[in-house]
Amino acid sequence: MNRLLQWILPALLLTVCCGLPNQASAAAKTYQRSQQQYQLPDVTLVNQDGKRVRLKNIIDTNKPVVVDFIFGTCTTICPVLSAGFINLQNRLGADAAKVHLVSITIDPENDNPKVLKEYLKRYRAKPGWDFFTGSRKDIDLVMNSFGAYIPNKMSHYAVTFIHAPKSTHWIKLYGIMSSTEFMEEVRKVGL
Amino acid sequence: MRQIRAIACLMVLLLVGAFTAALAAEQPANSTTADLTPAELHRLGERIYREGILSDGTPLRGFIRGDVPVDSTVFSCANCHTRSGLGSLEGQVASPPVNGPNLFKPRYLYADFVKNTISASRGKSRPATAIRPAYTDETLAAALLAGVSATGRDFAPIMPRYDLGNRDMQILISYLKNLSSQVSPGITDTTMHLATIVTDDVSATDRAALLAPLQTLVSINEQRKTQRKDQRFAKMFRMLDNAYYRDLSISTWELKGEPETWPAQLEAYYRKEPVFAILSGISHRSWQPIHEFCERHQLPDLFPVTDLPVISDTDWYTMYASRGYYGEGETAARYVASQDEPVKKRRLLQIVLQSEQGKALAAGFDAAWKESGSPGSVKTIMFAASTPPDAKQLKALFAAHKPTTVLIWGGEQLLTSLRQLSGMKKLPRIYLSGRALEKNLSEIPENLREKVLLTYPFRLPEDEKAYRGFADVLLMSRQKIKDDQRITSRTFSAVHMFLQGLKELKLDFYRDTLLDQISMRPDQYLPDFERYSFGPGQRYASKGCYLVQLGSGPKPRLIKRSDWVVF
């Protein structure tokens, strides 16, 4: 028995020591990618400066558009999504304005333009990242049209949508991406 | 064979050596924080935990999802694990508890010891196996730096891996050890002590209207206790697993005299009975002295019946049903600003009665108007609350300033002059507070109604019946209390939200946990306000306010002119 232990113990220790870092570095892809078509409603949203903008005019531009759903006082998923946004802007550097990042609140009651503005400031957002609110009815319509209706903001999940200029479809990215993965996804739509 | 054994032994020795060296490297030397007093150590730890600011004032840095760098003024520990450290559950992300008692003891599947006992046959039982061993300073440091749990498992990729030096690591670990480690005051083995607050400007009827639902809460809780002893219900109560088991004691703290004297009176009550939380309460004066007292003592103050709350983005301990008169003023400003008219031609006249009510309405209006970019000129005229302007003065002001929009902030004192305005031709649009005039809306003359818009912070009467009925059945049916001031129904809502928090509090009797838990509730549909909505750190549950016009007749219908939330 003792002899057995003499052999097994070092072997186990070796596995523990060498095995763990390998596991950690080989993180699998943790998001799902799919191509979708959405019928977006003709609603008007309000941005962080209190300006009213038609959703159509936000999306139909000659830039790639990235959309996510977050809220100002969210504690778990939104900061992760927003860190992804700001990191993308940082990596793009001078090209940051070539992609339009669009966050839409799922808590329109609390998120007035002042809250939106402070949120962007907290993340040190650069021009090109806008945060929108609107009436609950309009926000619900938008969430529904993206198939991402979230009735209770505390059961919120991570999903990002990318639209290439003039494209008829959207890329839906469900889950949380690393910054390299996010960058690749945006490049794929023609940045 | 002997050779192989020797090599193996050498390897073991090397490995042990490497481990010891690694531990020594991570082991924070105690000397690194020796220069700090315990109070300073706590303050710095709290700042890292809550705000993500390191002891040298720089932001805490880390990585999420492998390579996304974050600086933790937005990724502080409290952001996900909550202020009390008891954790949160949002969507698919569970942030487990990180307070001292949870980290530094083994983690079992259930918090409850009884549930963690596995029964064998014939009454013999053994404790369940822990799902995670207790953290030590070393394993906790490894968890924060490298994202490896005490079980050796990797954390989810959205848990940041933090770049913490020895000193900050030690400061943070020391903070976590003390975080939510002592049950908050006001809890004994048998009783949860609460208080409510009534000031002496409140009439006996209104006082009774507040106390009725609180008494009902206590008596319903008594009944649960009896039912629990009944075999048939015992299992159900075991499943509830929570604080209902305790008796509830709700003292009434009566405050007399001027508000300046309230803090001393509150201190005296608190010394005598340090309660766990203040549940509801009522005053017609500003809630500020009570609010400040609760901030000082880190004492939760849940949904008092007041229309004069303190407006703050950062204060923590008082949760209000709404922003009160201030919120009505804000809504009026946003509504006026959103109207489609040339800004250059827009002239506003704000007439303010210097009552607490009038001042709060004007303060809310001014703040929101400024936020909207001040789209138009505003002239503000003050009147003493005891001498409101008569119709003649109002007409003179209208003639002098030629306003396109007039806001008149005050209560019933204004009714006489408003009635006298009714004959006047070419009136500007007039905004009034619907809450301030709620009992007298029918007295606004019919031929003025077309020009008058009212801020109305409640659900419209035609939609309200169902919600009132709900409250009546649950709490008020046994006590026939006269209440036309929305006191009983608002206290009912306070009780409802308190129970929502209590249910989630379980046996974690920490005040911050109660507040954290209430903050994480989904939207609630309760009497009076259209909707209570919550979110971490949000302190005013009802965010909206309608703008309405009055229909015709002696019992005018309220006609919606805006959404519930106006931007």
Side-chain angles (χ1 to χ4, degrees), chain B residues 148-443:
Chain B
V148 183
S149 129
T151 57
R153 192 176 56 86
D154 280 354
F155 288 138
I158 70 160
M159 161 77 191
R161 276 55 169 168
Y162 288 113
D163 186 7
L164 276 162
N166 273 354
R167 180 179 162 89
D168 287 312
M169 180 66 82
Q170 213 188 330
I171 292 171
L172 180 59
I173 289 178
S174 146
Y175 180 76
L176 291 175
K177 279 183 181 162
N178 294 314
L179 178 62
S180 296
S181 61
Q182 303 282 328
V183 166
S184 298
I187 302 290
T188 68
D189 286 347
T190 56
T191 309
M192 174 180 273
H193 293 270
L194 304 166
T196 192
I197 293 173
V198 183
T199 60
D200 65 356
D201 57 316
V202 172
S203 72
T205 324
D206 290 355
R207 183 180 182 278
L210 173 91
L211 294 180
L214 298 179
Q215 280 153 6
T216 312
L217 169 67
V218 173
S219 70
I220 287 179
N221 191 57
E222 277 297 309
Q223 288 164 19
R224 279 177 198 277
K225 237 174 65 181
T226 326
Q227 285 170 353
R228 206 178 101 235
K229 288 180 188 147
D230 187 321
Q231 283 287 316
R232 289 170 301 174
F233 299 118
K235 191 174 177 191
M236 184 186 88
F237 279 96
R238 266 277 299 285
M239 284 163 67
L240 283 171
D241 179 40
N242 60 32
Y244 290 129
Y245 286 8
R246 315 242 154 173
D247 291 340
L248 290 177
S249 141
I250 308 180
S251 308
T252 308
W253 292 0
E254 319 258 2
L255 299 181
K256 298 190 171 67
E258 285 306 300
E260 300 83 68
T261 65
W262 294 356
Q265 297 177 52
L266 288 164
E267 294 291 347
Y269 278 120
Y270 188 73
R271 265 197 305 277
K272 206 173 137 204
E273 188 192 14
V275 292
F276 185 69
I278 305 285
L279 182 53
S280 191
I282 185 168
S283 176
H284 299 308
R285 313 290 298 263
S286 163
W287 200 255
Q288 189 169 6
I290 303 166
H291 175 109
E292 286 168 359
F293 165 81
C294 291
E295 286 296 310
R296 264 198 311 281
H297 287 279
Q298 306 189 342
L299 178 62
D301 179 9
L302 304 177
F303 306 103
V305 181
T306 174
D307 295 313
L308 295 164
V310 173
I311 304 295
S312 161
D313 289 340
T314 49
D315 284 358
W316 197 257
Y317 288 93
T318 304
M319 283 186 155
Y320 294 101
S322 82
R323 293 164 81 86
Y325 290 120
Y326 188 96
E328 284 180 66
E330 287 178 308
T331 304
R334 290 185 190 129
Y335 185 80
V336 175
S338 72
Q339 294 305 295
D340 205 9
E341 57 186 356
V343 169
K344 279 188 182 167
K345 287 187 181 168
R346 192 186 268 157
R347 285 185 310 278
L348 278 70
L349 176 63
Q350 188 178 213
I351 298 169
V352 185
L353 294 201
Q354 291 281 61
S355 57
E356 287 188 291
Q357 201 177 45
K359 283 191 272 187
L361 283 156
F365 179 88
D366 290 341
W369 188 253
K370 205 173 149 205
E371 254 167 49
S372 307
S374 306
S377 70
V378 182
K379 174 80 187 163
T380 302
I381 311 273
M382 309 279 194
F383 283 89
S386 52
T387 54
D390 56 25
K392 210 173 137 191
Q393 283 171 302
L394 286 180
K395 283 177 188 172
L397 283 171
F398 293 176
H401 296 283
K402 298 190 176 53
T404 50
T405 300
V406 178
L407 309 122
I408 313 180
W409 299 137
E412 292 164 21
Q413 319 94 303
L414 293 168
L415 283 165
T416 320
S417 30
L418 284 174
R419 269 195 295 269
Q420 288 164 357
L421 275 185
S422 66
M424 193 179 157
K425 283 175 189 161
K426 282 199 177 175
L427 269 177
R429 163 85 68 213
I430 298 175
Y431 289 78
L432 303 167
S433 159
R435 171 63 174 162
L437 297 168
E438 203 189 357
K439 294 286 145 244
N440 316 84
L441 291 180
S442 59
E443 291 177 39

